[in-house]
Amino acid sequence: MSKIIKVTAVALSLAMLSGCTGGMKQQVEAAQAAAAEAMAKANAAHSLATKANTAASEAAKSASEAQKTADAALECCNANSQKLDRMFEKAMMK
């Protein structure tokens, strides 16, 4: 009878260990799936950030070019204004 109890105890122990192992395996797989999903989301966020950075750089370049064009137009306007002033002064002196 003692031998049957020992065998039963060993069998129950093995059954419990295999049940815990199966549960842990599921938890590990769930954690791996969550980590893979988080990595995919992080990669997508990185891609969006890279695209946003590129767009911002292009916008800054366009703004710089627009500023240069505006500065040139202002310089031209000032030069034309000075020419008109000189012409007006010459006409008044005659």
Side-chain angles (χ1 to χ4, degrees):
M1 187 79 160
S2 172
K3 192 173 185 180
I4 293 175
I5 293 175
K6 288 181 184 178
V7 170
T8 304
V10 169
L12 284 174
S13 297
L14 288 174
M16 289 178 68
L17 285 175
S18 67
C20 291
T21 307
M24 288 182 65
K25 183 177 179 181
Q26 289 174 346
Q27 289 177 346
V28 168
E29 288 173 353
Q32 287 174 336
E37 182 180 354
M39 182 59 95
K41 287 182 180 180
N43 287 336
H46 180 267
S47 177
L48 286 175
T50 301
K51 288 178 184 177
N53 188 27
T54 301
S57 295
E58 290 174 2
K61 183 179 176 183
S62 294
S64 177
E65 290 173 3
Q67 183 65 49
K68 288 177 185 177
T69 302
D71 290 342
L74 181 61
E75 186 178 327
C76 180
C77 180
N78 288 337
N80 287 337
S81 181
Q82 290 173 358
K83 286 179 186 177
L84 287 172
D85 287 344
R86 285 193 301 268
M87 287 174 56
F88 181 71
E89 287 175 11
K90 284 182 184 180
M92 293 300 289
M93 293 180 104
K94 289 185 182 182

